[in-house]
Amino acid sequence: LIKGVLAPYRGAWSNMLCLQCKAIDPHNADSTSASLKDAKWFDQYPDFPALKASALNGCEFCAQLRHAVLHKYSDTEIAKFEDKFDESVQSTWSSTKWNGDVEIHGGQFHGTGDPTYRGYSQQQMFDDGLPPDMRRLYFTFSPYPPRQLDQGSYSWRICFDLYTEPFRRRLPSAETLSSTNLKAILAWVDVCSKKHTGCRQETPGPLPTRVIDVGPADGSQHPKLYVAAGQPSPYVALSHCWGKPTETQVPRIARTLSGNLKDMLSAIPLDSLPQNFQDAIVTVRVLGLRYLWIDALCIVQDSRKDWEMEAARMGEYYGSAYLTLAATSAKASVDGFLARSPWPWPTISMPCHAQDSSIGHEKIHFRYQPEPSEYSRVDAIDESVWNTRAWTYQERLLSNRILHFASGRLFWECRTMEGSEENEPPRESEYHTPWMATKAEARQSLVYPDEAGFDNRYERWYRLVSRYCKRELSYESDVFPALSGLAHGFHKVYTDQDRYIAGLWQADIFRGLLWMTKDSSQTTRPSVYRAPSWSWASVKGEVDWPSRTTARHCHYNYAIQLLEAQTDTGPGGALGAVTGGMIKLLGKYQRLDKVLRPPIWEAVVRFRFNLVSADEVIGSGAFDIDSEIQADAIWILQIEVQGPGDSSFPYHPSGLLLKQVDGAELRFCRVGYCALDEEYIGFFDKIEPKELCLV
């Protein structure tokens, strides 16, 4: 198909268009619906002879449109289409009776919803016939005549990405480090470092313990490991996925070890490194900088002491970096992130003349997009493998400014704004962390203590942890080290008088204990010890904290006291790996008669068990892990009481499900979460508080 129709026009698009296609201009679109009224083709499935004839006569857009429908809609797709016909349609229009007539119509321009282009007000755009933030053109492909079908259900869409120059969306460069892209990167850095008060660093911070000296820009010297001794200088950090390459893929020097440290300080041949590391060194050289921090090379990987001490400072290293490079498109360290594959479909260019002569002439480019998405940044970054890793969570949040090398595109993020290689309008960053900037700004952004009786700064921590728990760790024991930078930043800004214990904060420990696993059937215990049972880190799986009403008349009180809290940690300190821990409490707890699974129609989502005492169901419970469910020998510990409250806001005392450890009378571990029914709020009234120890 490409050889027969598209090949003659590759590399020499000379704006040859048929009369029909010449109408494909944003200025011919309706200013309200952004639709082209006259863009319509009638043709014959499956060969589309009319489009083919027009393409062979020189119309580039007809060639591209024909190729698009042939590529996307095969006989298999049509068969799926016919399977959806109801009986009346099948009887009048089956594959044996349908003559194959189709209509391609619609021609509607789409945008992201951003009301402004660069240099254009919304009114100017509508006056000029341009839809806001124009980025795509959609055509609809459907069987004809349409009266025999519900077109809304039985039609397909053909998508073209749009790029308009010089004012708006720019075509991605063929090379990642093209002169155009380098100019954009330097402009982002310059604006951010000079104008963004929430991002800029007045003076360069100290270098990490070790950095890579990338050598001169011309590559005349090998890079080498450099012991910095804290001297102040700008440096770049790399955020990447190590991945799990095979032995044949791993270069000879992929990490620094005690045995090769001396050699690394002398020279590191560039071709001995994984492609991600090579690309990072090349990028730093091109940007005119000297120092680069990569965890695998700058931490002695077989020294537990060095690793734990340096891992505890990773948050500081990313937060102090002049720029972070994110190898977002790379699934493993061997993949690299600078190489780009050529776009497999031709790009059609044509002039686009604005009605307002003061705006000038533009060039508009059409590029067939087989898998369109309304949110290119979401696809390229948020749904990448890089964004599923636990370590990259804090690396992304803590970096002042981060340059994403996504698949075929560059994206910019800092604590103030976002940008892209395609020159889309900058917008406020979704990943900026104002609470990491200054204590004054952070405290201005919160109201605490909250009117509902709880300190909502900690709610931010619980949201961070909930998102973090969705991510993956290669080494389960890294659960706290990979979060230590965020914990340090949070402690510095919000809780400088508080104490961090196994992922929770002592001043809000009772609320912190009330986490739940999101799906106990998919949750397991880690293969190695990493936290006491009362910490969310004691399970592998997603967790969250049940939401609380913020109604003024609802207050939360705790029916428990903390007597002692203790965690055992390694060289990384309180924020690092945990090897043991306990909390001693004074509270009300009672052994249940049994725990029953109710009929499926009575079960509440997540609260899948009835708690039975004295032959009465007093509340509902949720075990943390399905494999640990047991019917008896379960205790209930009261933690929280909501009230006093208005009758329109019923409250349910909540607590934990426990089981005894090794038969010890006062020693328990957590196995779940529970809530009492409203009519049993007095269940604990006659129970005297007693000491217990949770491990």
Side-chain angles (χ1 to χ4, degrees), residues 491-537:
H491 182 262
K492 182 179 177 181
V493 172
Y494 285 150
T495 60
D496 49 4
Q497 301 301 314
D498 204 346
R499 181 182 171 209
Y500 185 70
I501 47 175
L504 302 174
W505 300 98
Q506 183 167 318
D508 199 47
I509 187 65
F510 303 131
R511 169 67 169 154
L513 293 173
L514 295 175
W515 51 269
M516 293 181 65
T517 55
K518 295 196 76 171
D519 185 351
S520 57
S521 67
Q522 300 297 315
T523 306
T524 61
R525 294 287 177 195
S527 59
V528 296
Y529 180 92
R530 64 184 193 182
S533 67
W534 42 267
S535 168
W536 52 266

Side-chain angles (χ1 to χ4, degrees), residues 43-59:
D43 217 326
Q44 184 79 20
Y45 181 86
D47 194 48
F48 299 95
L51 286 175
K52 182 177 181 180
S54 180
L56 292 173
N57 284 330
C59 181

